[in-house]
Amino acid sequence: MDILEQDIKFLPGVGPNRKKMLSNELGIETYGDLLEYYPYKYVDRSKVYTIHELTGEMPYVQVTGRILSFESFAMGPRKERVVAHFTDGTGICDLTWFNGGKYAKQNYKIGTEYLVFGKPTVFNNRINFTHPDLDDASKVDISSMGLQPYYNTTEKMKKSGLNSRAIERLTKTLVERLPTLPETLTDFIIGSRHLMSRDEAFRTIHYPQEARSLERARVRLKFEELFFIQLNILRYASDQRRKYRGYVFSKVGDVFNSFYHNNLPFPLTEAQKRVLREIRVDVGSGRQMNRLLQGDVGSGKTLVALMSMLMAIDNGYQACIMAPTEILAEQHLQTIMQFLKGMDIRVAMLTGIVKGKRREEVLEGLLDGTVQILVGTHAVIEDTVQFARLGFVVVDEQHRFGVAQRAKLWNKSQNPPHVLVMTATPIPRTLAMTLYGDLDVSVIDELPPGRKPVRTTHVFDTRMTSLYDGIRQQIHEGRQVYIVFPLIEESEKSDLKNLEDGFEVLKEAFPEFRLSKVHGRMKPKDKEEEMQRFVSGETQILVATTVIEVGVNVPNASVMVILEAQRFGLAQLHQLRGRVGRGADQSYCILVTPYKLSEDTRKRIDIMCDTNDGFRIAEADLKLRGPGDLEGTQQSGMAFDLKIADIARDGQLVQMARDEAQKIIDEDPECKSNKYDLLWNRLRQLRKTNINWAAIS
């Protein structure tokens, strides 16, 4: 058995009770888990200060000296504060214990030389260390101390004595007991990328002597983590390509050309033309297409998707577009019918609300091939839905659909259909390579002509009166306005109350206008009615929660007011802003916050005011929040368990890992070459662990 798979309870100093605590609190079950529980920071222990040099602003430091005397101060029944007066000859400082003072008096001797480590503060005009670490100076070799690791622990662990120092001791015991660890990367990769050996990297990451070797250890361990994720994704994609032939759409025929010449509402942008060419090459190649189409709200993705579906119809196949919500499916249906006006193409819709005779007609039409385009929600992937010849599938807002659901669609057809995945949440390159590594990526990076960028401004909530005046002016000019309240799960009750109260306040503030109200807790029928009143222009102001984030299209709405904007993530703010700016008029997005904001929040608000570029916003979001929190990655189980790498900050390493993995797949696509046995065996080992590899690809 591999020593890293050994149960952690057998490590000296652990035992059954600590094993339970480590397992419950940190998920540490084996030696390997402890080895991969990396420090979050390091403190330089190689320098010793004199008391004379210390100030209250310094970080953790160490001094050597002797205890002169102890003093105790009562702090209520059975509690005391214990202070040791300590000197190194250059000055005197105090060591203070609020807990554990009795232990300190019994165990630390007056006159013995100690190495004291802690955070200096100033109390009663004297340097003070609260709950410092003390070591017998005669037993410590300061020259070999290097950087001291710090490990994250929980409150529960600290109470039972498992603090950072205790974890450090356990790790030290483990590292001392380990034999030389076997290599997991080939000599060629290690040599060409100048990487540290795996064994040295693990030992150095926990006990670095200096900053340079620590950095090299980090690079090695991050690279390895990212490399095997990329190798797995590329192996999966290569398998799919070899296994599944794609339907060949050999021509662009009458349906496509008729639409292009007679129905196209405006000229295509260069970006739309480029993406259509990429799709055309894919569907004519004989291999099954898996393409991710990224484009900001309003960039014309739906038109590209429709024209791709028309290619399928020209070649005798059916097409299907799947949306995450009924409102969005309904909207796609209306948009597509509008685009295809006057053309002899049968489009049908299938969602949870299509029942009875209507549903039967749609199912029959799919089976006999007379329904050429199906628009639907999850209902499309139910077993009862069967197609005659499904050749092309569009999945809108991919992050709402899991991989398993995508796979179900494939089974609707003899060969898997071509798949176009669309998202209006721009995904930074490094994340796209890891989340959607099995998809080719297309980007629409320009807006259709005549669209003006939305102007975004930041307003403090003390200036609501002048904000209301601005809203009034816009409505008098014939425009409509969204006012969005936050609705966050943890505080849903109070948020709904804020919305209800806010709605009453707004009704009083705008007695001359009609208002609609929409939130996720309403019955679908009521929500739909309120939405329709706004869409038709019967109401001028829509007061809502983020249910309007995806999909609603009201070209006449030109103002988006987001209240308590500090509570929204960047991606969400950007999505909400995309609800306006859909007509030819200048549109505005107003972010309302209190005056007091954290540094991170201020950065978020500034980025929103500075740019409309979804990709810049996504990059910033990734840096501020990390990949696990990014919208979409969590819902679909893709917040992968990276222990040391950080996709937001390690973009270059992601690219480096992918390049190396690609070389290996190109050389050994069937994963059979003895030359790469080491890598394939390691990958098999990792796939047995708790990483959700299926979700990653």
Side-chain angles (χ1 to χ4, degrees):
M1 176 175 143
D2 180 350
I3 189 160
L4 294 184
E5 289 172 20
Q6 179 76 270
D7 192 319
I8 195 71
K9 74 178 175 204
F10 297 118
L11 185 71
V14 178
N17 291 344
R18 278 189 156 185
K19 144 92 194 241
K20 197 174 172 193
M21 181 71 75
L22 287 167
S23 170
N24 291 348
E25 296 297 296
L26 302 178
I28 293 175
E29 307 265 353
T30 64
Y31 284 11
D33 292 338
L34 181 60
L35 200 58
E36 289 186 346
Y37 192 67
Y38 301 115
Y40 70 94
K41 70 169 186 180
Y42 301 84
V43 171
D44 188 354
R45 297 285 309 255
S46 59
K47 181 170 169 48
V48 177
Y49 289 83
T50 61
I51 292 172
H52 177 68
E53 291 176 274
L54 301 181
T55 69
E57 284 72 55
M58 292 171 106
Y60 283 81
V61 297
Q62 53 192 3
V63 293
T64 57
R66 293 179 166 78
I67 295 174
L68 296 170
S69 61
F70 282 101
E71 216 176 331
S72 299
F73 301 89
M75 288 174 61
R78 293 208 305 266
K79 284 201 90 172
E80 61 173 4
R81 171 167 63 95
V82 171
V83 177
H85 304 301
F86 185 86
T87 183
D88 67 351
T90 70
I92 292 177
C93 67
D94 289 340
L95 316 180
T96 303
W97 291 269
F98 292 96
N99 300 313
K102 192 173 168 196
Y103 174 90
K105 281 192 291 190
Q106 282 170 354
N107 287 278
Y108 301 134
K109 308 282 184 285
I110 291 172
T112 300
E113 186 158 359
Y114 289 108
L115 176 71
V116 170
F117 176 73
K119 167 91 181 72
T121 55
V122 176
F123 180 69
N124 284 346
N125 292 325
R126 190 183 270 186
I127 290 290
N128 180 66
F129 290 92
T130 305
H131 295 149
D133 284 342
L134 269 76
D135 289 296
D136 186 334
S138 65
K139 293 178 181 164
V140 177
D141 175 9
I142 290 169
S143 64
S144 69
M145 283 188 83
L147 301 169
Q148 180 172 355
Y150 273 71
Y151 299 85
N152 274 317
T153 57
T154 64
E155 280 309 310
K156 209 169 176 183
M157 289 173 71
K158 284 174 191 148
K159 278 183 186 148
S160 68
L162 265 176
N163 56 10
S164 170
R165 198 72 195 273
I167 299 283
E168 185 197 337
R169 287 191 194 106
L170 293 177
T171 311
K172 196 174 179 97
T173 306
L174 174 62
V175 169
E176 284 166 356
R177 292 170 71 89
L178 284 179
T180 303
L181 294 171
E183 200 39 83
T184 46
L185 297 175
T186 61
D187 291 347
F188 178 76
I189 295 176
I190 292 169
S192 67
R193 295 294 180 179
H194 308 292
L195 298 172
M196 192 182 250
S197 77
R198 180 171 178 247
D199 182 75
E200 192 186 347
F202 271 127
R203 293 173 196 276
T204 306
I205 198 91
H206 291 289
Y207 296 100
Q209 284 306 301
E210 36 81 39
R212 210 174 143 272
S213 58
L214 170 62
E215 189 45 36
R216 287 196 62 217
R218 273 194 178 131
V219 166
R220 158 65 207 236
L221 295 168
K222 286 178 178 187
F223 176 85
E224 176 168 339
E225 197 165 49
L226 295 166
F227 170 77
F228 282 107
I229 285 177
Q230 292 299 336
L231 188 63
N232 188 60
I233 289 168
L234 293 171
R235 175 202 60 81
Y236 171 84
S238 157
D239 271 5
Q240 300 299 92
R241 287 193 186 111
R242 278 201 332 280
K243 230 182 268 174
Y244 298 110
R245 305 301 299 152
Y247 293 119
V248 178
F249 296 175
S250 54
K251 62 180 181 185
V252 172
D254 298 342
V255 175
F256 185 96
N257 286 320
S258 162
F259 176 82
Y260 189 80
H261 295 299
N262 308 323
N263 282 48
L264 200 61
F266 40 74
L268 296 173
T269 62
E270 284 309 311
Q272 285 173 310
K273 287 179 188 169
R274 184 185 65 238
V275 172
L276 277 167
R277 282 195 295 272
E278 289 167 351
I279 291 169
R280 174 80 192 93
V281 168
D282 281 354
V283 297
S285 69
R287 69 181 183 85
Q288 188 243 349
M289 176 179 89
N290 270 308
R291 189 166 281 282
L292 172 68
L293 174 56
Q294 297 193 67
D296 252 337
V297 176
S299 60
K301 294 186 298 294
T302 309
L303 182 58
V304 167
L306 173 62
M307 292 174 79
S308 307
M309 293 195 281
L310 297 181
M311 288 182 206
I313 293 169
D314 265 332
N315 287 275
Y317 293 95
Q318 293 161 294
C320 155
I321 180 164
M322 198 155 91
T325 64
E326 290 187 356
I327 288 180
L328 202 49
E330 181 75 52
Q331 204 162 306
H332 277 317
L333 181 73
Q334 284 166 5
T335 307
I336 288 170
M337 301 287 263
Q338 192 66 37
F339 277 140
L340 296 176
K341 222 175 190 165
M343 292 183 72
D344 184 21
I345 290 177
R346 187 176 168 196
V347 183
M349 181 160 112
L350 198 62
T351 65
I353 51 176
V354 178
K355 292 194 165 72
K357 195 166 184 308
R358 247 180 86 205
R359 190 180 183 84
E360 271 169 39
E361 281 172 8
V362 173
L363 294 176
E364 278 168 24
L366 290 171
L367 209 47
D368 64 22
T370 53
V371 169
Q372 291 152 292
I373 294 178
L374 178 69
V375 180
T377 55
H378 294 86
V380 169
I381 53 182
E382 288 168 10
D383 294 339
T384 50
V385 183
Q386 296 296 328
F387 293 79
R389 291 189 88 195
L390 178 62
F392 198 95
V393 174
V394 180
V395 181
D396 194 14
E397 289 304 332
Q398 145 70 17
H399 62 253
R400 310 286 172 111
F401 293 106
V403 176
Q405 290 164 313
R406 227 165 62 193
K408 264 191 164 181
L409 270 170
W410 286 25
N411 301 330
K412 304 273 177 202
S413 201
Q414 198 176 352
N415 282 351
H418 297 294
V419 176
L420 181 68
V421 169
M422 299 198 300
T423 179
T425 310
I427 303 155
R429 253 185 82 261
T430 50
L431 194 58
M433 273 195 286
T434 312
L435 278 183
Y436 302 112
D438 60 320
L439 305 180
D440 299 310
V441 179
S442 291
V443 178
I444 301 182
D445 48 12
E446 58 183 308
L447 289 177
R451 286 274 173 94
K452 291 179 182 153
V454 179
R455 269 191 213 148
T456 306
T457 51
H458 177 203
V459 171
F460 292 120
D461 54 15
T462 47
R463 310 244 348 258
M464 294 305 278
T465 314
S466 62
L467 176 60
Y468 288 168
D469 290 342
I471 290 173
R472 214 168 262 114
Q473 188 185 335
Q474 283 286 311
I475 298 175
H476 284 312
E477 287 173 20
R479 313 272 174 271
Q480 288 165 281
V481 176
Y482 294 102
I483 298 180
V484 176
F485 281 78
L487 181 59
I488 314 293
E489 272 173 41
E490 298 85 77
S491 49
E492 192 166 11
K493 268 196 179 136
S494 60
D495 280 347
L496 274 173
K497 188 172 178 344
N498 288 349
L499 174 81
E500 301 291 354
D501 295 349
F503 186 68
E504 294 307 318
V505 170
L506 289 164
K507 273 196 340 202
E508 281 173 34
F510 299 107
E512 70 271 45
F513 302 130
R514 286 190 296 276
L515 284 74
S516 287
K517 176 177 63 178
V518 174
H519 59 78
R521 278 296 176 86
M522 291 165 74
K523 288 181 180 147
K525 190 167 155 290
D526 298 344
K527 194 159 57 178
E528 195 62 46
E529 271 173 24
E530 287 288 287
M531 274 306 203
Q532 282 319 117
R533 286 176 64 212
F534 186 67
V535 171
S536 67
E538 188 191 325
T539 55
Q540 289 83 32
I541 298 175
L542 176 64
V543 180
T545 60
T546 50
V547 289
I548 58 157
E549 179 189 334
V550 173
V552 189
N553 185 8
V554 184
N556 190 45
S558 66
V559 181
M560 165 65 70
V561 178
I562 304 173
L563 300 173
E564 292 192 59
Q566 77 281 2
R567 293 177 61 194
F568 294 86
L570 268 173
Q572 232 180 354
L573 290 172
H574 183 61
Q575 282 275 2
L576 287 166
R577 175 167 63 184
R579 300 296 111 227
V580 294
R582 296 178 155 241
D585 303 301
Q586 179 60 59
S587 290
Y588 304 89
C589 174
I590 322 289
L591 306 174
V592 183
T593 72
Y595 187 75
K596 224 176 154 183
L597 294 174
S598 74
E599 188 58 33
D600 265 7
T601 306
R602 212 169 275 284
K603 275 187 200 157
R604 276 212 305 276
I605 303 288
D606 288 349
I607 290 161
M608 286 299 295
C609 295
D610 287 348
T611 182
N612 281 300
D613 179 340
F615 286 93
R616 266 187 65 193
I617 287 166
E619 289 286 355
D621 204 19
L622 187 58
K623 284 201 167 72
L624 286 170
R625 292 164 64 190
D629 296 334
L630 271 193
E631 218 156 323
T633 60
Q634 213 112 49
Q635 291 98 308
S636 51
M638 291 185 184
F640 21 85
D641 184 17
L642 290 176
K643 296 207 168 69
I644 190 167
D646 177 339
I647 288 173
R649 292 173 182 82
D650 297 325
Q652 271 180 305
L653 276 175
V654 175
Q655 186 64 61
M656 201 163 106
R658 190 174 181 85
D659 292 346
E660 287 299 335
Q662 188 66 62
K663 281 182 209 162
I664 284 148
I665 292 292
D666 291 346
E667 206 179 311
D668 183 19
E670 295 190 14
C671 317
K672 286 180 178 167
S673 164
N674 296 342
K675 183 179 171 185
Y676 297 121
D677 263 359
L678 179 70
L679 302 178
W680 302 129
N681 288 337
R682 178 65 179 154
L683 191 58
R684 272 191 286 275
Q685 231 178 341
L686 286 169
R687 286 169 64 82
K688 285 182 198 158
T689 64
N690 59 356
I691 296 179
N692 189 351
W693 291 95
I696 290 173
S697 45

